[in-house]
């Protein structure tokens, strides 16, 4: 009997021979092909208050953002930026109308760098004078710039095997009919040659992706030429433009984050009974991201420093050569341990997963989950039959609605875990969730903290909400309900700020790029009349009609009762009045702040709630910083 007739649990390791198993790509080689014809420099969007934006500018912006994401996420990737339909030419094949921007007189690609991004940011200003733009496919000429561009891109991607390297060509253009200016046999012949060149490129394992740039009043018609080049048929043609638009949007507004090459953590043994042991792979579904460790550099050579640690005898001052020992005080005695003895004492787990038994799913509570679960999936790589046993366990747990309780942990951190079976979830587009088990880390009895009773007195009345307060709170919660909520909507603002600062330093930017903080409340949404009304009604139901006036009276009483606060308020008013009589911007511009006294300088600082401590030079520096000088 076949326990897995649908092949749900068939892993890559189940193939007949590892020589036929394709490995995951670890690197990515990308060539950005940008159309530089005069049509790309026409105004694609023109606002009265903004400078007209061209499709060429949009393509360069997309590439720059993509390079920034690659530097942070996958710094080992290699790229090339190539323009076609240009007056000048620069490529090893010496083909007309193709200009390779960042690769010099060699075939190798470059890794994305801050220098490349800076050069790209200025390329539009000097493009016409240094490189030039022209139509590469014109009537009366056999010149085919698109064919030449594909040839050059294929040559740039020649290095590396397609099995270990992902190779892509990203084509930016707003011309949906590149051969529209010619007719007859010449047009037919040039189209055939270009399509054959694209097919040869794809046969080498290089994918060609089109990123069309549409005009506001005219949609890019992919069916004229590029559908055949990309191999699109039927419904794929109608779905192409929306998907390509999403790719362009993602490239323009990419999240700064590191990319992990694989989610697999390690392979472990799962001991089910005394004589039954299987093998499973563990996968990290959620992995916390941190900015990374600080690297110390030599101040002269700028090379990384290596740290060394030595132990010096406290009595003689000599270096200790013998292995040091550890001790632990016990009953006024010093008990010494060697490293081997400490390892044996702490080692209470063999690193395997040991099944203890099964319990109903309702015994597992949400608050038992200490940290993100680990997903486990069977593998037959070393223990043949692991998948069959795993499937039998998986299906029986789903049928009886039970979870498996097991003991697992590292050598120094053993834990109880719950194995919860997950059935496969599919949709019309394919698999949504794979079948397998989630390993949920459970607390020990030592970890559980009981809630303390706040009202210990017998006659104390615990506060209770009235029906009206519950009704108003329900109305408020319905008003500010988050539609289609997902944690994927929120990026870590501290991490994004960290990468933004690195970007500004690397590119020599004067200002840090604007970081959108999705964790901040939606002030505009909360100010809608319906929400304001629901919030006010809830406050009235809890605090009463005159709660605002009572709070104001209380604050006023506290303010009037403090002598120190009255003095501070009087000093601030005096400083503001005196500060208004000076033209601080003019004084700073002409370097006359040093002619003022310390008291006069403190007028400005006090009026703007700035620190007034320090010498005169520090006060002047603080004022200049506040004025932006």
């Amino acid at each position: 009997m076949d326990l897995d007739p649908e092949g749900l649990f068939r892993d890559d390791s189940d193939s007949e021979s590892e020589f036929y198993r394709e490995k995951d790509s670890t690197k990515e080689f990308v060539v950005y092909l940008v159309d530089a014809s005069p049509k790309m420099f026409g105004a694609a969007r023109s606002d009265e208050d903004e400078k007209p934006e061209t499709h060429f500018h949009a393509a360069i912006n997309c590439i720059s953002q993509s390079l920034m994401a690659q530097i942070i996420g996958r710094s080992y990737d290699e790229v090339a930026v190539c323009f076609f339909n240009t007056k000048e030419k620069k490529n090893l094949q010496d083909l007309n109308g193709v200009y390779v921007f960042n690769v010099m007189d060699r075939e190798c690609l470059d890794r994305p760098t801050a220098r490349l991004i800076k050069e790209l940011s200025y390329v539009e200003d000097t493009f016409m004078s240094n490189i030039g733009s022209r139509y590469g496919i014109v009537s009366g000429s056999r010149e085919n710039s698109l064919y030449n561009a594909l040839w050059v891109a294929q040559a740039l991607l020649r290095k590396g095997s397609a099995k270990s390297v992902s190779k892509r060509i990203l084509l930016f253009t707003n011309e949906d009919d590149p051969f529209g200016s010619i007719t007859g046999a010449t047009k037919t012949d040039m189209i055939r040659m270009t399509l054959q060149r694209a097919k040869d490129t794809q046969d080498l394992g290089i994918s060609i992706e089109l990123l069309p740039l549409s005009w506001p009043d005219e949609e890019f018609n992919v069916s004229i030429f590029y559908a055949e080049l990309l191999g699109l048929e039927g419904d794929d043609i109608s779905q192409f433009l929306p998907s390509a638009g999403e790719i362009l949007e993602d490239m323009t507004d990419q999240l700064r984050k590191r990319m992990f090459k694989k989610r697999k953590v390690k392979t472990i043994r799962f001991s089910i009974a005394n004589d039954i042991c299987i093998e499973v792979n563990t996968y990290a579904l959620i992995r916390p991201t941190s900015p990374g460790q600080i690297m110390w550099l030599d101040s002269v050579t700028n090379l990384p420093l290596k740290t060394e640690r030595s132990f010096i005898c406290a009595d003689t001052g000599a270096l200790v050569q013998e292995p040091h020992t550890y001790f632990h005080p016990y009953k006024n005695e010093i008990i010494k341990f060697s490293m081997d003895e400490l390892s044996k004492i702490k080692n209470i787990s063999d690193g395997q997963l040991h099944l203890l038994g099964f319990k109903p799913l309702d015994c597992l509570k949400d608050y038992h989950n200490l940290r993100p679960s680990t997903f486990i999936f069977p593998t037959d790589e070393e223990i043949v039959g692991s998948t069959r046993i795993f499937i039998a366990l998986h299906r029986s747990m789903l049928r009886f609605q039970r979870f498996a309780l097991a003991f697992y942990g590292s050598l120094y951190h053993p834990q109880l875990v719950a194995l919860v079976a997950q059935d496969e979830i599919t949709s019309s587009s394919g698999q949504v969730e794979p079948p397998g088990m989630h390993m949920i880390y459970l607390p020990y009895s030592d970890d559980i903290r009981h809630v303390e009773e706040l009202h210990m007195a017998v006659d104390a009345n615990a506060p209770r909400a009235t029906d009206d307060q519950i009704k108003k709170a329900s109305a408020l919660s319905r008003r500010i309900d988050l539609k289609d909520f997902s944690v994927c909507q929120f990026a870590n603002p501290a991490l994004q700020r960290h990468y933004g600062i690195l970007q500004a330093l690397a590119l020599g930017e004067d200002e840090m790029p604007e970081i959108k903080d999705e964790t901040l409340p939606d002030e505009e949404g909360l100010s809608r009349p319906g929400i304001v009304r629901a919030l006010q009604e809830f406050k009235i139901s809890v605090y009463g009609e005159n709660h605002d006036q009572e709070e104001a009276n209380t604050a006023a009483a506290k303010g009037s009762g403090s002598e120190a606060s009255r003095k501070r308020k009087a000093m601030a008013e005096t400083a503001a009045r005196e500060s208004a009589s000076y033209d601080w911007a003019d004084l700073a511009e002409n370097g006359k702040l040093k002619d003022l006294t310390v008291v006069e300088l403190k007028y400005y600082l006090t009026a703007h709630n700035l620190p007034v401590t320090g010498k005169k030079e520090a006060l002047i520096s603080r004022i200049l910083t506040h004025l932006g000088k």
Side-chain angles (χ1 to χ4, degrees), residues 414-480:
Q415 284 187 293
L416 286 177
V417 296
L419 303 180
V420 180
Q422 172 181 282
D423 203 359
E424 184 186 34
I425 303 175
T426 59
S427 66
S428 57
S429 58
Q431 188 185 72
V432 178
E433 295 288 346
M437 294 185 189
H438 287 277
M439 186 163 64
I440 299 175
Y441 300 91
L442 301 176
Y444 285 110
S445 59
D446 316 58
D447 306 323
I448 298 174
R449 298 292 182 265
H450 298 285
V451 178
E452 296 180 0
E453 181 62 49
L454 299 178
H455 306 279
M456 302 301 293
V458 178
D459 56 347
N461 294 324
R464 296 288 186 268
T466 64
D467 293 339
D468 181 63
Q469 291 171 351
I470 296 173
K471 180 180 178 181
K472 294 297 190 294
S474 301
L476 179 62
S477 64
R478 286 194 298 268
R479 278 287 186 180
I480 57 177

Side-chain angles (χ1 to χ4, degrees), residues 60-77:
I60 295 299
N61 185 43
C62 283
I63 296 173
S64 298
Q65 296 297 328
S66 178
L67 292 177
M68 291 179 192
Q70 282 181 304
I71 290 174
I72 296 172
R74 301 181 303 271
S75 59
Y76 43 81
D77 292 348

Side-chain angles (χ1 to χ4, degrees), residues 54-187:
T54 64
H55 281 152
F56 186 84
H57 174 79
I60 295 299
N61 185 43
C62 283
I63 296 173
S64 298
Q65 296 297 328
S66 178
L67 292 177
M68 291 179 192
Q70 282 181 304
I71 290 174
I72 296 172
R74 301 181 303 271
S75 59
Y76 43 81
D77 292 348
E78 298 184 20
V79 299
V81 181
C82 181
F83 302 107
F84 66 100
N85 287 330
T86 59
K87 290 182 180 179
E88 300 295 330
K89 62 178 179 179
K90 191 181 82 169
N91 56 83
L92 287 179
Q93 290 72 29
D94 199 31
L95 298 174
N96 293 327
V98 182
Y99 192 95
V100 181
F101 180 71
N102 65 308
V103 179
M104 302 304 174
D105 298 332
R106 51 188 170 84
E107 292 188 6
C108 300
L109 283 77
D110 277 338
R111 289 191 175 184
T113 60
R115 179 180 178 181
L116 174 58
I117 296 174
K118 291 187 68 173
E119 291 175 351
L120 270 179
S121 63
Y122 299 120
V123 70
E124 189 175 6
D125 299 333
T126 60
F127 191 87
M128 290 300 180
S129 58
N130 295 341
I131 302 176
S133 171
R134 70 181 178 91
Y135 289 105
I137 303 174
V138 294
S139 178
S141 172
R142 299 283 300 183
E143 193 70 43
N144 189 343
S145 58
L146 181 57
Y147 175 89
N148 293 346
L150 292 174
W151 188 352
V152 171
Q154 176 183 323
L156 288 170
L157 295 171
R158 186 179 302 153
K159 185 182 72 171
S161 170
K163 293 183 178 180
S164 59
V165 178
S166 173
K167 302 180 180 182
R168 303 163 62 202
I169 297 176
L170 299 183
L171 176 60
F172 295 84
T173 183
N174 61 356
E175 178 57 74
D176 53 10
D177 188 9
F179 301 97
S181 60
I182 57 178
T183 57
T186 302
K187 178 178 181 178

Side-chain angles (χ1 to χ4, degrees), residues 356-409:
L356 301 179
F358 299 90
K359 293 291 290 183
L361 281 174
D362 55 9
C363 294
L364 188 63
K365 307 300 181 184
D366 292 338
Y367 53 82
H368 289 163
N369 196 353
L370 293 178
R371 58 189 176 93
S373 62
T374 300
F375 189 76
I376 62 175
F377 196 86
T379 174
D380 285 340
E381 190 170 349
E382 291 192 10
I383 301 180
V384 180
S386 297
T387 301
R388 285 180 171 269
I389 297 176
F390 188 90
I391 293 171
L393 275 176
H394 178 268
R395 295 194 173 180
S396 62
M397 290 164 63
L398 287 174
R399 182 182 305 169
F400 296 110
Q401 293 294 300
R402 289 177 173 262
F403 71 91
L405 184 66
F407 176 79
Y408 171 73

Side-chain angles (χ1 to χ4, degrees), residues 162 165-168 199-208:
V165 178
S166 173
K167 302 180 180 182
R168 303 163 62 202
K199 184 178 182 302
D200 294 343
T201 302
Q202 292 165 340
D203 289 343
L204 293 174
I206 303 173
S207 66
I208 301 176

